[in-house]
Every structure is written in C-alpha cells, then in structure tokens.
Amino acid sequence: MISRRTLLQIIGVGSAGLFAGLARSAPAAHDMSDMASMEMPEPATPAPVSAPADPTAPDMLPPAKLQRHPQGYLPVRTLNGWTLPYKLNGGVKEFHLVAEEIEHEFAPGSRAKCWGYNGTTPGPTIEAVEGDRVRIFVTNRLGEWTSVHWHGIDLPAGYDGVGGLNQPHIKPGETYVYEFILRQHGTHMYHPHADEMTQIAFGMMGLFIIHPKKPEEVRIDRDYAFLLHNWALHPGTWRPDPAVMQNFDIWTFNSKSFPAIEHLVMRTGERMRIRIGNVSMWNHPIHLHSNPFWVTGSDGGRWPRSQWRREVTEIIGVGQMRDLEFIATEPGDWALHCHMSHHTMGPMGHELPNAVGVDQSGVEDEIRKALPGYMAMGKNGMAEHAGHVAMGMLPGPENTLPMMAGEGQFGPLEMGGMFTVVKVRNDMKTGDYRDPGWYAYPPDKIARRISDDPNFGSPQRQNPYATTNEMTTTPAAATSAPVPGHAGHGE
Ligand SMILES: [Cu+2]
C-alpha cells in the first residue's frame, strides 16, 4: 500500500516543492508584522506535510479567555477557529486574507489537502462594528483565480465579489482590495464567487460578524459561531471530491467532525448566542437539548423581539445564517447536533444490503473463504459496529474516520459528524472557555438500571398487524399476566 506521504510526494506536493513554490510566487506582502504577535497560525507558512501541525496545540485553539473589545463588544468565539487581527490605518480597519492551499485535519485519523484562508478552513473570522470602514486585502496564493463575496453585507456592487460580474477575477499571485462602510450588524460570511463548486467544496469560507453600534438591549454572555459544511473525502484519498452532490462523507462544524469539535461551555443563568451559517449542500435542522432557545437573528441582524421564536430545532438553510439564544437553567452536558441522522455519522457506504434481522451465520463462513477475517455484522442494528471500532477490530481504510465515533463517560456516543456538547456548569467563571470535563451527575438524578428481566413490569404493548396468534396485547392482558411469546418480540 502506498503511504500517504509517498502519495503526496508522487503527486508533487511534497513539503519542499510545494512551499518553495508558494514562496516564489508570493507577491510583496501587505505588512503583517503586527499580526505575528497575535495568537494565530502563521499565515504564509502552513505546516509541511511531513510534520503536520497538531490542530489541538494551544496556539491553534481560540484563547481560553475572551475580553471585551475596546469598542465595547464581546468578541465571538469561533469554534475551533480564530478571529483575524486587523491594523488601524487612518481610522480604517485593515484586514488581510490569503487564499491558499492548506493541510487540514477533520478529526484525528482524517486529513486532507483543503483550500482556505490564512492557513485554516474556515478562514479566520472577521469581526467589526456597524459604522466601521473596513479595507480588506485579498491575496491569491492558489493555482487558479478566485474572488471574495461578502455574503449578506450591504455594500456597493463593485465590492460584491462575483468574479466576472462585479470585478475581474483575482489571478494567482495578485492582491485585490475591497473597501466599504459597514451599514448594518449581524451574522454574515465570506466565500469565493469564482469556481465555487471547487473552492467552496475545498473549504473556502469564513464568518464575518458585525457587532451593533449601540449595545444590545438583551445582553449576551457568550457568543459562539460556526459554519456548517459537507465534504466528500473518499476513503484512502487526500483531496475532497468537488463533483459529489449528495453522498458526502464528512459533516462538519467549522470544518471539524465530532469528536474533534470543540465543546461550548457556559454557566447556569448565562445567555449564550450560537451563530450558525450554512455553506454546505444540505439544509441542516440544528437541535439543542436542554431548554428551548429563541431564534433571534440572521444576516438581517438581531430581529425585533416581537419576531423572536421559541424552538428546539432550527433549520439552517443553504446560504442562510441564524442566531440562536438560550439561557441555561440546568447544569449538565447537553447535545447540540444536526437532526439529519446521517449528518452525525462519519464516512460510510450507502449501497450496503440491509442486514438487520438477517441470520448471516452460514454466509459468514462462505465469505471468509474468499475474504479472510470477514465479520458479518448488523443483525441487531449498527451499534455493534461502534463497539468493534472502539476495540480496534475495524481499522477501516487509510485516512478515514469511523462511521460512528466519539466516546462519552458512559460509552460510545455513536456520532461522528455534526455533533458537539454544550457544557453547563454552576461554577464556570465569566469569560472562561476552558473545558470543564464531563459532568458529574448527582446519583439521584440520572437514569439507572433497575432490572435485567425483559418481562419486567408487563407494560401495555400492541401489535395490531400480527398475522399469527403470537403477541397481541390488550389492555386487559397487559394488566394481568405476561403475554405469551413476549420474549421473542422484536426478532
Ligand atoms: Cu444536517
């Protein structure tokens, strides 16, 4: 089998060749010296393929503490991401984005050649304030042209970024400048409007948060933000496939797949905003356990309170942004996930025969003659798959995540995509974003086993479509005696 490194060398992206090439083609860079001291990855020197950066290293994570910006706003916390530093130049906020190829890790065990900005996908979050004048330099270090569209932002047409329509494309090596005054506030994003099918599929996207000029009437204590995306990284390959339209392998919050997605933390009684944007090819019903949240805003800014809605699941449509706000009343670990159940899974085949309920014992022996080690699975459902993965019995193809992943304090979570945890604690300090670990459940407030007898309690059960005399429960029978054939039900 060809190793990943060998493969990358064969196709000519060995570290030396790739990065030397980039350095030669780099234009005279806009001064980024003041950015070097900030907590961020080096924009122009992505980690070499042979010694990839560890994305869990402290310098790649958002800071553990966030303080209010001098202009008064609470900065957003971009899940697994970062905010782009700016330079003030004559009252104008200058940002510099660099479109480039990067090596990205979706979760340990799955890496790919992606495209992004300033070393990451999503690119860094741009944060500014309503009324600010921003000047954004965009340097193209890709091998093809690009452009940047400022999605949902009210600006002169010449800065809207549709290559060919609003501006000439930004060719490799060139730097373009966009400059406009922010006339609104809200949750927005940026992405290319040039060869979108490829450039977005490879991860080019970023959040653009405009804070309101006047302090918000209802104050937010924690402000999280992430973008939804899907990727087709076929098992054993190292480059997302931009031609796939529906059967994606990897579902991500900010280009990370659970369990690599950062947890959201908050204190009981705090008000959290979760800003979510969708750059993917599917709509995603995002569901938060615990209290219902209010849907309070979008690209259109924070809505008037009369328009706020209480929900527990909100569909974030393709190209949409939504702000969810919620006040935690119960401490604990609460799931936050897409409710499309395939979107919380890792890579899997979809053309499998349905083996649930099928006795495969004879077949297994036959297949083993041709495929030694073959293991028939799925007779009782797919949960045993997660167990086998956890035991290392199913290594899977190279560079592929398990279909079911993630481990909680009580066992496998069986989730591998758009899933993370909101950790509510009574003692989280204001502005502290450190992971408090798993919740310590009070022993009298947790579901627990009280019997292992399947006949326990003889609850009422029905089977109105039974064709034999087995298993038809009536209320009368249910309250008197166990039903004949009960133990075989469900086979
Ligand atoms: Cu989804």
Side-chain angles (χ1 to χ4, degrees):
M1 169 136 346
I2 296 176
S3 76
R4 179 172 123 264
R5 190 174 171 183
T6 314
L7 180 69
L8 290 168
Q9 282 165 346
I10 289 169
I11 61 176
V13 291
S15 53
L18 172 67
F19 299 115
L22 281 176
R24 270 198 304 277
S25 66
H30 168 62
D31 180 20
M32 290 203 276
S33 54
D34 55 335
M35 299 163 74
S37 61
M38 312 293 291
E39 279 194 317
M40 54 173 282
E42 278 293 319
T45 52
V49 169
S50 53
D54 173 5
T56 60
D59 65 334
M60 298 275 295
L61 287 172
K65 298 212 171 210
L66 280 182
Q67 289 175 341
R68 285 193 176 266
H69 184 272
Q71 279 172 286
Y73 66 82
L74 178 72
V76 295
R77 187 173 172 92
T78 307
L79 273 196
N80 297 87
W82 56 297
T83 289
L84 185 63
Y86 63 84
K87 196 167 76 169
L88 259 186
N89 184 354
V92 181
K93 285 184 180 172
E94 290 184 345
F95 297 89
H96 195 150
L97 290 176
V98 181
E100 60 187 342
E101 180 163 286
I102 56 175
E103 179 157 326
H104 176 72
E105 184 175 78
F106 294 101
S110 180
R111 305 180 74 96
K113 282 283 168 195
C114 294
W115 292 358
Y117 297 95
N118 304 54
T120 59
T121 170
T125 298
I126 294 176
E127 283 186 80
V129 178
E130 185 182 5
D132 282 350
R133 185 180 193 94
V134 296
R135 183 177 299 138
I136 308 171
F137 300 96
V138 178
T139 297
N140 182 6
R141 298 182 70 153
L142 299 170
E144 69 168 8
W145 66 22
T146 189
S147 74
V148 180
H149 167 58
W150 315 99
H151 184 107
I153 296 181
D154 177 14
L155 40 62
Y159 295 120
D160 199 44
V162 180
L165 177 69
N166 305 116
Q167 65 168 92
H169 293 86
I170 309 171
K171 296 191 192 67
E174 291 181 342
T175 297
Y176 269 52
V177 64
Y178 297 82
E179 183 163 339
F180 43 89
I181 293 170
L182 303 174
R183 300 161 170 166
Q184 74 214 96
H185 66 267
T187 304
H188 314 278
M189 59 182 166
Y190 62 88
H191 61 75
H193 234 298
D195 190 15
E196 290 100 302
M197 187 187 89
T198 309
Q199 297 190 6
I200 294 178
F202 283 7
M204 294 182 72
M205 57 186 168
L207 287 149
F208 197 135
I209 308 295
I210 310 175
H211 297 280
K213 194 168 195 166
K214 282 197 280 180
E216 292 175 292
E217 252 177 62
V218 180
R219 186 186 155 112
I220 299 292
D221 300 302
R222 299 191 188 239
D223 205 349
Y224 281 92
F226 59 87
L227 292 170
L228 306 166
H229 206 9
N230 48 219
W231 311 72
L233 186 66
H234 305 310
T237 69
W238 306 90
R239 176 85 65 181
D241 180 353
V244 168
M245 204 170 162
Q246 290 184 310
N247 277 346
F248 296 96
D249 300 298
I250 301 179
W251 306 90
T252 55
F253 292 170
N254 275 353
S255 305
K256 289 286 184 182
S257 181
F258 189 75
I261 302 171
E262 196 188 336
H263 295 169
L264 289 71
V265 300
M266 69 190 299
R267 185 175 63 237
T268 327
E270 282 187 329
R271 186 181 189 92
M272 178 189 280
R273 174 164 47 208
I274 309 175
R275 306 173 186 255
I276 310 174
N278 186 356
V279 207
S280 79
M281 299 271 277
W282 286 83
N283 297 336
H284 300 287
I286 299 296
H287 176 54
L288 175 63
H289 295 216
S290 182
N291 309 343
F293 51 77
W294 292 272
V295 189
T296 60
S298 68
D299 304 54
R302 210 185 208 189
W303 299 337
R305 288 176 83 162
S306 58
Q307 289 180 19
W308 292 6
R309 286 184 279 116
R310 278 213 111 169
E311 304 283 357
V312 296
T313 303
E314 174 72 358
I315 295 183
I316 321 291
V318 178
Q320 287 187 325
M321 319 293 291
R322 285 289 179 272
D323 295 349
L324 318 180
E325 293 180 25
F326 117 104
I327 298 173
T329 58
E330 283 286 336
D333 293 339
W334 302 101
L336 170 67
H337 62 96
C338 178
H339 220 291
M340 299 271 277
S341 49
H342 276 218
H343 295 183
T344 51
M345 306 299 283
M348 70 173 103
H350 297 278
E351 283 81 41
L352 298 171
N354 182 359
V356 179
V358 178
D359 178 0
Q360 303 169 76
S361 48
V363 182
E364 188 175 57
D365 292 341
E366 284 304 305
I367 297 179
R368 270 189 187 159
K369 288 176 192 162
L371 266 179
Y374 171 80
M375 207 165 19
M377 279 194 302
K379 184 186 171 213
N380 299 313
M382 299 304 282
E384 64 178 334
H385 179 88
H388 292 155
V389 170
M391 287 185 280
M393 289 164 74
L394 293 174
E398 201 185 356
N399 198 37
T400 304
L401 294 171
M403 179 178 82
M404 295 161 150
E407 192 78 16
Q409 60 177 312
F410 302 112
L413 279 164
E414 305 173 334
M415 303 276 172
M418 292 176 162
F419 180 94
T420 190
V421 180
V422 176
K423 291 180 167 173
V424 181
R425 300 289 185 270
N426 291 329
D427 55 357
M428 285 301 301
K429 297 230 165 21
T430 302
D432 187 352
Y433 288 79
R434 283 173 300 183
D435 186 340
W438 297 118
Y439 182 59
Y441 294 85
D444 60 336
K445 284 189 181 170
I446 183 166
R448 61 205 178 276
R449 182 174 61 191
I450 57 163
S451 170
D452 57 5
D453 172 11
N455 288 314
F456 174 78
S458 300
Q460 180 182 339
R461 298 154 66 225
Q462 296 192 0
N463 188 355
Y465 304 110
T467 52
T468 65
N469 59 359
E470 63 171 72
M471 225 340 277
T472 302
T473 320
T474 63
T479 50
S480 54
V483 177
H486 184 120
H489 177 67
E491 286 286 311

